[in-house]
Coordinates of all heavy atoms in Angstrom, one line a residue:
K100 N 41.7 35.9 69.3 CA 42.6 36.5 68.3 C 43.7 37.2 69.0 O 44.9 37.1 68.6 CB 41.8 37.5 67.4 CG 41.0 36.8 66.4 CD 40.3 37.8 65.5 CE 39.4 37.2 64.5 NZ 38.6 38.1 63.7
A101 N 43.4 37.9 70.1 CA 44.5 38.6 70.8 C 45.5 37.6 71.4 O 46.7 37.9 71.3 CB 43.8 39.5 71.9
I102 N 45.0 36.6 72.0 CA 45.9 35.6 72.5 C 46.8 34.9 71.4 O 48.0 34.7 71.6 CB 45.1 34.5 73.3 CG1 44.5 35.2 74.6 CG2 46.0 33.4 73.8 CD1 43.5 34.3 75.3
V103 N 46.2 34.6 70.3 CA 46.9 34.0 69.2 C 48.0 35.0 68.7 O 49.1 34.5 68.5 CB 45.9 33.7 68.0 CG1 46.7 33.4 66.7 CG2 45.0 32.5 68.4
V104 N 47.7 36.2 68.5 CA 48.7 37.2 68.1 C 49.8 37.3 69.1 O 51.0 37.3 68.7 CB 48.0 38.6 67.9 CG1 49.1 39.7 67.7 CG2 47.1 38.6 66.7
Q105 N 49.5 37.4 70.4 CA 50.5 37.4 71.4 C 51.4 36.2 71.4 O 52.6 36.3 71.5 CB 49.8 37.6 72.8 CG 50.8 37.6 73.9 CD 50.1 37.4 75.3 OE1 48.9 37.4 75.4 NE2 50.9 37.4 76.4
T106 N 50.8 35.0 71.3 CA 51.5 33.8 71.2 C 52.4 33.7 70.0 O 53.5 33.2 70.0 CB 50.6 32.6 71.4 OG1 49.8 32.7 72.5 CG2 51.4 31.3 71.5
M107 N 51.9 34.2 68.9 CA 52.7 34.2 67.6 C 54.0 35.1 67.8 O 55.0 34.7 67.4 CB 51.9 34.8 66.5 CG 50.9 33.8 65.9 SD 49.9 34.5 64.6 CE 51.1 34.7 63.3
Q108 N 53.8 36.2 68.5 CA 55.0 37.1 68.8 C 56.0 36.4 69.7 O 57.2 36.4 69.5 CB 54.5 38.4 69.4 CG 53.8 39.3 68.4 CD 53.1 40.5 69.0 OE1 53.0 40.6 70.2 NE2 52.6 41.4 68.2
E109 N 55.4 35.7 70.7 CA 56.3 35.0 71.7 C 57.1 33.9 71.1 O 58.2 33.7 71.4 CB 55.4 34.4 72.9 CG 54.8 35.5 73.8 CD 53.8 34.9 74.8 OE1 53.6 33.6 74.8 OE2 53.2 35.7 75.5
T110 N 56.4 33.1 70.2 CA 57.1 32.0 69.6 C 57.8 32.3 68.3 O 58.6 31.5 67.8 CB 56.1 30.8 69.3 OG1 55.1 31.3 68.4 CG2 55.4 30.4 70.6
G111 N 57.5 33.4 67.7 CA 58.1 33.8 66.4 C 57.5 33.0 65.3 O 58.1 33.0 64.2
A112 N 56.3 32.5 65.5 CA 55.6 31.8 64.4 C 55.1 32.7 63.3 O 54.5 33.8 63.6 CB 54.4 31.0 65.0
S113 N 55.4 32.4 62.1 CA 54.9 33.3 61.0 C 54.4 32.5 59.8 O 53.8 33.2 58.9 CB 56.1 34.2 60.6 OG 57.2 33.4 60.1
S114 N 54.6 31.2 59.7 CA 54.1 30.5 58.6 C 53.5 29.2 59.0 O 53.6 28.8 60.2 CB 55.3 30.2 57.6 OG 56.2 29.3 58.2
K115 N 52.9 28.5 58.1 CA 52.2 27.2 58.4 C 53.2 26.2 58.9 O 52.9 25.3 59.6 CB 51.5 26.6 57.1 CG 50.4 27.5 56.7 CD 49.2 26.7 56.6 CE 48.1 27.6 56.0 NZ 46.8 27.3 56.5
A116 N 54.5 26.3 58.6 CA 55.5 25.4 59.1 C 55.7 25.5 60.6 O 56.1 24.6 61.3 CB 56.9 25.7 58.4
D117 N 55.3 26.7 61.2 CA 55.3 26.9 62.6 C 54.1 26.5 63.3 O 53.9 26.8 64.5 CB 55.7 28.4 62.9 CG 57.0 28.8 62.2 OD1 57.9 28.0 62.2 OD2 57.0 30.0 61.8
L118 N 53.1 25.9 62.6 CA 51.8 25.6 63.2 C 52.0 24.7 64.5 O 51.3 25.1 65.5 CB 51.0 24.8 62.2 CG 49.6 24.4 62.7 CD1 48.7 25.7 63.0 CD2 48.9 23.5 61.7
G119 N 52.7 23.7 64.5 CA 52.9 22.8 65.6 C 53.5 23.5 66.8 O 53.0 23.4 68.0
K120 N 54.5 24.4 66.6 CA 55.1 25.1 67.7 C 54.1 26.1 68.3 O 54.0 26.3 69.5 CB 56.3 25.9 67.1 CG 57.0 26.7 68.1 CD 58.3 27.3 67.6 CE 58.2 28.2 66.5 NZ 59.4 28.9 66.1
L121 N 53.3 26.8 67.4 CA 52.3 27.8 67.8 C 51.2 27.1 68.6 O 50.9 27.6 69.7 CB 51.8 28.5 66.6 CG 50.7 29.6 67.0 CD1 51.2 30.6 67.9 CD2 50.2 30.2 65.7
M122 N 50.7 26.0 68.1 CA 49.6 25.3 68.8 C 50.0 24.8 70.1 O 49.3 24.8 71.1 CB 49.0 24.2 67.9 CG 48.2 24.8 66.7 SD 46.8 25.8 67.1 CE 45.6 24.7 67.5
G123 N 51.3 24.3 70.2 CA 51.8 23.7 71.4 C 51.9 24.8 72.5 O 51.7 24.5 73.7
A124 N 52.2 26.0 72.1 CA 52.3 27.1 73.1 C 50.9 27.7 73.4 O 50.7 28.2 74.5 CB 53.3 28.2 72.6
L125 N 50.1 27.6 72.4 CA 48.8 28.3 72.6 C 47.7 27.5 73.4 O 47.0 28.1 74.2 CB 48.2 28.6 71.2 CG 46.9 29.3 71.0 CD1 47.0 30.7 71.6 CD2 46.5 29.4 69.6
M126 N 47.6 26.2 73.1 CA 46.6 25.4 73.7 C 46.6 25.4 75.2 O 45.5 25.5 75.8 CB 46.6 24.0 73.1 CG 46.1 23.9 71.7 SD 44.6 24.8 71.3 CE 43.4 23.8 72.1
P127 N 47.7 25.4 75.9 CA 47.6 25.4 77.4 C 47.0 26.8 77.9 O 46.4 26.8 78.9 CB 49.1 25.3 77.8 CG 49.8 24.6 76.7 CD 49.1 25.0 75.5
K128 N 47.2 27.8 77.1 CA 46.7 29.1 77.5 C 45.1 29.2 77.4 O 44.5 29.9 78.2 CB 47.3 30.2 76.6 CG 48.7 30.5 76.8 CD 49.2 31.6 75.9 CE 50.7 31.8 76.1 NZ 51.1 32.9 75.2
V129 N 44.6 28.5 76.5 CA 43.1 28.6 76.2 C 42.4 27.3 76.6 O 41.2 27.3 76.4 CB 42.9 29.0 74.7 CG1 43.5 30.3 74.4 CG2 43.4 27.9 73.8
K130 N 43.0 26.3 77.1 CA 42.4 25.1 77.4 C 41.2 25.3 78.4 O 41.4 25.9 79.5 CB 43.4 24.1 78.0 CG 42.9 22.7 78.2 CD 43.9 21.8 78.6 CE 43.4 20.4 78.6 NZ 44.4 19.4 78.9
G131 N 40.1 24.8 78.0 CA 38.9 24.9 78.9 C 38.1 26.2 78.8 O 37.0 26.3 79.2
I132 N 38.8 27.2 78.1 CA 38.1 28.5 78.1 C 37.9 29.0 76.6 O 37.3 30.1 76.4 CB 38.8 29.6 78.9 CG1 40.3 29.8 78.4 CG2 38.8 29.3 80.3 CD1 41.0 30.9 79.0

Side-chain angles (χ1 to χ4, degrees):
K100 283 180 184 177
I102 293 172
V103 168
V104 169
Q105 176 191 359
T106 307
M107 283 176 70
Q108 291 170 349
E109 290 171 2
T110 60
S113 58
S114 69
K115 296 235 183 213
D117 301 323
L118 179 66
K120 178 171 64 171
L121 177 60
M122 291 300 281
L125 183 62
M126 289 313 288
K128 293 180 181 181
V129 298
K130 189 172 187 176
I132 57 172

